[in-house]
């Protein structure tokens, strides 16, 4: 789960930075903060006992981060593919 959360967070930070002037204020505030929260909670700087707990806590901001990233994909075919494959990959792991 940690790899999927990190994979969703880094592109969202990049997207939020590139579109910072055109994003609505709520998106410009919430999306990067959720991505940074995921990075902070799922990073390798905690012991295993805390890392397991923080990974579970990071699911909620990770969902917001992934939704923001999926909405910013311009091609409907790519968006459908990503939104279909992401849950399958999470269920498979």
């Amino acid at each position: 789960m940690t790899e999927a959360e990190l994979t969703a967070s880094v592109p969202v930070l990049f997207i939020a930075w590139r579109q910072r002037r055109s994003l609505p204020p709520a998106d410009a505030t919430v999306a990067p903060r959720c991505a940074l929260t995921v990075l902070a909670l799922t990073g390798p700087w905690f012991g295993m006992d805390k890392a397991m707990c923080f990974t579970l806590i990071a699911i909620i901001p990770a969902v917001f981060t992934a939704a923001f990233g999926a909405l910013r994909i311009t091609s409907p075919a790519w968006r459908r593919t990503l939104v279909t494959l992401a849950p399958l990959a999470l269920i498979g792991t």
Side-chain angles (χ1 to χ4, degrees):
M1 184 62 149
T2 303
E3 293 83 15
E5 292 168 342
L6 291 174
T7 303
S9 296
V10 175
V12 165
L13 287 172
F14 179 72
I15 291 168
W17 177 256
R18 295 251 342 221
Q19 298 178 355
R20 67 187 176 275
R21 290 189 176 93
S22 63
L23 285 176
D27 288 348
T29 303
V30 173
R33 284 3 177 240
C34 284
L36 289 173
T37 301
V38 170
L39 289 174
L41 289 176
T42 58
W45 34 83
F46 298 112
M48 278 308 283
D49 55 338
K50 292 179 185 172
M52 295 295 285
C53 180
F54 287 159
T55 301
L56 292 174
I57 294 170
I59 290 174
I60 294 171
V63 168
F64 285 120
T65 303
F68 177 83
L71 287 174
R72 297 297 181 250
I73 297 174
T74 56
S75 169
W78 277 106
R79 187 180 312 144
R80 274 191 300 261
T81 304
L82 177 71
V83 171
T84 302
L85 292 179
L88 293 175
L90 293 175
I91 291 170
T93 59

